[in-house]
Amino acid sequence: HRLAREAKVLAALKARGSADEATLLAEVYAETPRPLHPVALRSLRAHLLKLRDDGAVRGDADGRWHA
């Protein structure tokens, strides 16, 4: 499940080119009930940091992530 979600995060960024966390959260966790979005946001951030460490994405000073 974790790897599938990571792939979904990367696919969303590749499709958009760049996005902020709120946009990615709404897209990648669309099926997650809104009350759980704070937890989902922590998970999203963990995926983004891992993808950054892998060299697949980069973040900028404005809070946007780029594929």
Side-chain angles (χ1 to χ4, degrees):
H1 176 75
R2 181 182 53 81
L3 293 177
R5 185 75 74 180
E6 180 179 300
K8 195 171 181 180
V9 170
L10 185 56
L13 265 178
K14 284 183 176 180
R16 292 181 173 278
S18 71
D20 60 21
E21 290 177 351
T23 300
L24 289 171
L25 182 68
E27 183 173 340
V28 175
Y29 290 87
E31 76 286 353
T32 302
R34 290 196 56 79
L36 296 178
H37 276 200
V39 175
L41 180 58
R42 287 195 300 271
S43 179
L44 173 64
R45 287 177 176 153
H47 285 301
L48 289 167
L49 293 175
K50 191 237 183 233
L51 289 166
R52 182 200 63 194
D53 291 348
D54 291 348
V57 303
R58 66 179 176 81
D60 66 25
D62 294 326
R64 294 188 67 80
W65 291 87
H66 307 268

